[in-house]
Amino acid sequence: MVESSLPRSIEADDSHTTRAPSGALVHQRSLEHSDRLARRLHEVVPGKVWTLVGNGLSNQSFVLGPGGVICIDTGESREEMAAALLELRRVCTAPLAAVLLTHFHYVGGTLAAFGEAGGTLPVYGHAGIDGNLKRAGGLIAPTYLRGLVEQFAIFLPAEGPDAAENVGLGRSYRDPAHAPHQPGYVPPSITFDEATRLEVAGLEILVDPAPSDADDSVTYYFPSLGVAVHNLVWPVLFNVFAIRGEEYRDPRVLVAGIDRLLALEPEALVGTHGPPIIGAAEVQRRATAARDAVQLLWDQTVRLANQGLTAKGIAERVRLPGSFDEDYLTQELYGLVEHHVRQIRSGLFGFFDGEIADLLPLPEVERRERLIAGFGGRKAVAAAMDEALAEEDLRWALELGAWLTGTPGASHEDRLALADALRRVARRTSAANIRSWCLTHALELEGSLDLSSLRSPRMSAFSIQLAPLAATLEQLTVLVEPEALAGIDAVVSIEADGETGAVHLRNGIIAPVGLPANPDLSVTLSKEDLGLLLSGQKDLPDAIAQGDLSIIGDERILNVLFEALDILP
């Protein structure tokens, strides 16, 4: 369980690497996992319950009751859900009766269900779904999108050594066959935030809010069928840490949810991802192991933190015992144990773990430059990196490569060497997240992939026209350069197509406020022009000269506001 050697997050050589039919070079376990995630409509209860695996990142599941079919989760687009319904219609002709949502991630195809039903359907889901969607698509959207690209192999080629093989929870983030992936989310019409009992389509359903990778996750249990639909036990070791960046997922909360799931003594588990687990004994054995693996990570992280180890020190030592290697539910097919334990420590205690060098660190670039100088210069570091690659010392090669490429004077050869190290890691790890991240950045380092737009967030003119004005003003708060507002204390009211709002510029921030009686500046314009201005597609002086804005008050305040925003192309 606890060893002194480094964790086996990457193999020492290519002996576990194989070539997929697409030409992708992947870990053997990853290729085996693709077979589990292959497209298949699994019949869980004969003639009553089905779950479709391999239609996208998530499953779409169907339960037949006396009053019709209940759809559980609708995928990420109307096309994805439409494809799922075609599969359903090969085995069941009963009309649709309702939609149930397990959490906010897979809700984008609901309109396809409405279309098939010929009208609206009741939609059941946690009360937090709407808020989580707005959070992911609002203030944090640029980072969220960049993380999705990196984690889910979105820009990897379809064929060749760097091709995407699977993304851990599914064969792909979005099936290319479903393009153009039209949105079809419909907010839940019946919501809950605590344990409750429902009757839907003539079936009793027990609802248990059970947070996992989302705080709005719920378990639906159908007592008459012995089936639980959940987001707790995944076809991989549960991802405490998401490399794309997410809020802390507390293992203790997940474990409690699995305990309640097991207490139901279900005959079958239908997950949001992966094949179902059928048979009461199998459910208890396998779900218990999945639960215990997560508890072990938490327990050992706390144990070693209490002994004074840093996050990296803990990551070096925590292992899952060999017995957990026997079932794919507890294998590192998505994320890595060494990352999960670092996240647990940070989630419990914050970023500072007692590592002296992290207390008051040098500026990042300056630190790397000093390390390079201390090593004997760039040529010496490059030579050391060549040696590390020759000796398959990939962790050291990654660090040396980060010094060279993260400082002024980085050469094309430096970037190619780091890309080589990342590509070797990608083909020697069984963790889909790590493979996707490494290959994405290897392609960028080589110049065949440009991710610069994902690091230069801009507001969308189209989104601004559709969004409430209040949401647009809130977005401004994370686009401001504080120094540009130095010495400014002013309230600006804005009216756009009949909607009104106001912001207070003060102390280097933009604070949305209620409408004041006497603002320092009042601006009236259309949402279309507001979108063009805030997306950088129209210059403020031109808009003023053309009469696109009506301004009452000190025009200079408006100039200061726009100069302070990260909106220039």
Side-chain angles (χ1 to χ4, degrees):
M1 180 193 310
V2 179
E3 303 172 357
S4 59
S5 60
L6 287 169
R8 200 186 70 183
S9 301
I10 49 177
E11 303 291 353
D13 54 37
D14 285 335
S15 59
H16 294 80
T17 303
T18 189
R19 190 176 295 274
S22 65
L25 292 175
V26 297
H27 195 286
Q28 178 64 38
R29 280 190 173 179
S30 181
L31 188 61
E32 294 167 359
H33 196 49
S34 291
D35 291 337
R36 299 183 193 108
L37 302 174
R39 186 184 183 88
R40 177 185 169 191
L41 184 67
H42 296 257
E43 188 173 47
V44 182
V45 176
K48 295 289 185 181
V49 181
W50 304 267
T51 185
L52 178 60
V53 177
N55 193 43
L57 186 59
S58 67
N59 299 345
Q60 292 86 48
S61 301
F62 305 97
V63 178
L64 176 62
V69 174
I70 301 168
C71 307
I72 306 177
D73 289 338
T74 62
E76 296 181 271
S77 68
R78 294 161 64 178
E79 293 82 4
E80 184 174 320
M81 186 59 184
L85 290 169
L86 285 176
E87 295 283 351
L88 171 70
R89 291 312 176 205
R90 294 189 174 99
V91 297
C92 178
T93 59
L96 303 185
V99 173
L100 273 61
L101 304 174
T102 61
H103 63 302
F104 82 99
H105 287 159
Y106 310 111
V107 299
T110 306
L111 279 178
F114 282 21
E116 211 246 30
T120 61
L121 296 167
V123 179
Y124 297 80
H126 193 281
I129 286 176
D130 234 27
N132 278 335
L133 283 171
K134 291 174 181 175
R135 174 185 65 86
L139 299 181
I140 66 171
T143 301
Y144 204 82
L145 174 60
R146 184 169 65 248
L148 289 177
V149 166
E150 295 168 338
Q151 177 173 324
F152 289 121
I154 290 174
F155 289 161
L156 296 190
E159 297 180 340
D162 296 339
E165 175 55 25
N166 67 65
V167 291
L169 299 181
R171 288 302 299 266
S172 61
Y173 171 62
R174 289 179 173 173
D175 189 334
H178 298 154
H181 307 293
Q182 298 179 83
Y185 168 65
V186 177
S189 52
I190 300 114
T191 63
F192 33 77
D193 57 9
E194 58 185 19
T196 189
R197 176 190 174 278
L198 303 173
E199 185 169 325
V200 182
L203 292 174
E204 179 186 23
I205 307 174
L206 303 181
V207 180
D208 177 35
S212 58
D213 66 328
D215 61 8
D216 57 12
S217 293
V218 298
T219 295
Y220 297 108
Y221 180 56
F222 297 79
S224 64
L225 298 169
V227 172
V229 185
H230 64 95
N231 185 33
L232 295 166
V233 179
W234 289 359
V236 295
L237 176 66
F238 179 77
N239 219 36
V240 177
F241 169 75
I243 199 168
R244 71 178 185 270
E246 268 288 1
E247 295 180 347
Y248 178 51
R249 303 166 177 179
D250 191 335
R252 294 168 295 180
V253 175
L254 177 82
V255 163
I258 298 177
D259 283 341
R260 295 194 300 275
L261 176 66
L262 289 168
L264 297 170
E265 299 185 347
E267 294 288 332
L269 295 184
V270 175
T272 53
H273 305 280
I277 303 175
I278 300 174
E282 282 291 279
V283 166
Q284 291 295 319
R285 179 181 67 82
R286 298 183 68 198
T288 297
R291 172 215 180 278
D292 291 352
V294 175
Q295 180 183 328
L296 187 147
L297 297 183
W298 194 91
D299 292 349
Q300 293 304 310
T301 299
V302 172
R303 170 176 170 255
L304 295 174
N306 287 342
Q307 293 178 14
L309 272 69
T310 65
K312 290 180 181 178
I314 294 169
E316 291 170 11
R317 298 184 61 189
V318 175
R319 303 286 190 280
L320 286 176
S323 60
F324 287 103
D325 215 28
E326 298 170 3
D327 192 330
Y328 63 85
L329 299 183
T330 49
Q331 290 178 9
E332 293 173 292
L333 295 165
Y334 196 43
L336 295 173
V337 165
E338 66 172 286
H339 290 168
H340 298 332
V341 297
R342 288 167 66 181
Q343 182 79 340
I344 291 168
R345 199 212 178 282
S346 177
L348 287 172
F349 304 113
F351 87 92
F352 184 61
D353 58 3
E355 172 57 57
I356 294 173
D358 291 336
L359 181 62
L360 293 168
L362 288 166
E364 188 173 33
V365 173
E366 181 181 343
R367 176 181 178 274
R368 290 171 176 168
E369 289 179 328
R370 291 194 187 190
L371 288 167
I372 290 171
F375 218 83
R378 300 188 69 88
K379 288 184 179 180
V381 175
M385 186 169 182
D386 289 341
E387 182 180 352
L389 288 171
E391 296 178 356
E392 303 292 356
D393 189 358
L394 297 185
R395 290 177 186 261
W396 183 227
L398 291 179
E399 180 162 345
L400 294 171
W403 298 358
L404 291 169
T405 62
T407 50
S411 68
H412 184 58
E413 289 71 23
D414 294 336
R415 288 186 282 271
L416 290 181
L418 181 53
D420 182 15
L422 288 167
R423 193 168 271 111
R424 295 191 200 197
V425 170
R427 65 178 184 251
R428 295 177 189 174
T429 181
S430 61
N433 291 351
I434 308 308
R435 180 178 189 271
S436 297
W437 195 97
C438 287
L439 289 178
T440 298
H441 285 275
L443 291 169
E444 183 182 30
L445 284 161
E446 292 168 343
S448 57
L449 185 59
D450 184 2
L451 300 180
S452 58
S453 63
L454 298 178
R455 301 187 185 95
S456 303
R458 297 286 180 263
M459 298 188 76
S460 161
F462 179 71
S463 297
I464 291 169
Q465 290 183 54
L466 295 179
L469 178 62
T472 298
L473 297 183
E474 184 181 25
Q475 189 75 25
L476 300 183
T477 64
V478 295
L479 291 173
V480 65
E481 169 53 57
E483 292 181 0
L485 293 182
I488 300 295
D489 187 346
V491 175
V492 179
S493 69
I494 300 174
E495 180 178 343
D497 291 346
E499 293 184 52
T500 56
V503 292
H504 193 165
L505 315 184
R506 64 174 190 258
N507 298 322
I509 69 164
I510 295 176
V513 295
L515 282 175
N518 298 298
D520 298 287
L521 177 68
S522 297
V523 180
T524 303
L525 74 172
S526 68
K527 272 197 170 183
E528 179 181 3
D529 283 323
L530 181 63
L532 293 173
L533 285 165
L534 291 178
S535 64
Q537 298 179 51
K538 179 180 282 191
D539 291 330
L540 180 61
D542 291 343
I544 294 174
Q546 294 166 13
D548 296 331
L549 296 80
S550 172
I551 300 175
I552 301 175
D554 190 347
E555 185 178 304
R556 291 174 299 176
I557 297 172
L558 190 60
N559 290 324
V560 169
L561 171 58
F562 272 79
E563 288 172 1
L565 297 175
D566 293 331
I567 59 175
L568 294 179

